[in-house]
Amino acid sequence: EYNIMMNMMQVMQQAQKMKKDMEKKQQEIESSTYEGHSEFVDVVVYGTKKIKSIKINQKSLDEEDIEILEDMIKIAMNDALSKVDKDTEDKMGVYAKQFGGLM
């Protein structure tokens, strides 16, 4: 019974440490910025997936270019947001594996 209690305490301590580590990684992600790029557009988003900035890299646009530009903004936004997802997976995926091993 003593060994079981010690093992339970160790598991609880590890879980508490893991929770703190996860919270720290989540804060890192949320305070980071991620850049997305397309031919005419650069965007920067926060790890919270909120837009920080959009920069159009074209001096003058014709009416025809507006539709293309809208697509380029979408591409750049998706590029930046996919980087948030990748960083989240890189930093948080280890915890999913660890929790999966505990369950």
Side-chain angles (χ1 to χ4, degrees):
E1 284 184 29
Y2 177 76
N3 285 340
I4 293 172
M5 289 297 289
M6 290 302 290
N7 287 343
M8 288 294 287
M9 287 176 58
Q10 286 178 334
V11 168
M12 293 297 285
Q13 287 173 342
Q14 288 173 341
Q16 201 165 22
K17 181 186 182 309
M18 198 179 305
K19 182 177 183 256
K20 285 181 184 175
D21 290 346
M22 286 175 62
E23 289 169 353
K24 182 180 176 201
K25 293 290 184 186
Q26 187 65 40
Q27 287 175 347
E28 274 181 40
I29 292 166
E30 289 177 1
S31 64
S32 296
T33 57
Y34 302 84
E35 296 181 16
H37 307 282
S38 67
E39 190 174 344
F40 300 123
V41 181
D42 295 321
V43 298
V44 180
V45 298
Y46 297 105
T48 57
K49 296 188 177 182
K50 301 289 183 202
I51 298 168
K52 178 179 181 185
S53 65
I54 296 175
K55 181 180 179 197
I56 298 171
N57 302 320
Q58 189 69 10
K59 297 287 184 232
S60 62
L61 294 172
D62 297 339
E63 289 294 322
E64 303 163 4
D65 290 334
I66 298 298
E67 215 173 290
I68 293 170
L69 184 58
E70 290 170 348
D71 287 340
M72 291 295 111
I73 291 171
K74 184 170 61 175
I75 290 166
M77 288 298 304
N78 287 332
D79 183 34
L81 293 174
S82 70
K83 290 175 182 176
V84 175
D85 290 339
K86 182 184 182 319
D87 199 33
T88 299
E89 174 61 30
D90 289 348
K91 290 180 177 174
M92 302 301 280
V94 66
Y95 299 109
K97 291 175 190 158
Q98 287 177 346
F99 278 126
L102 291 175
M103 303 291 167

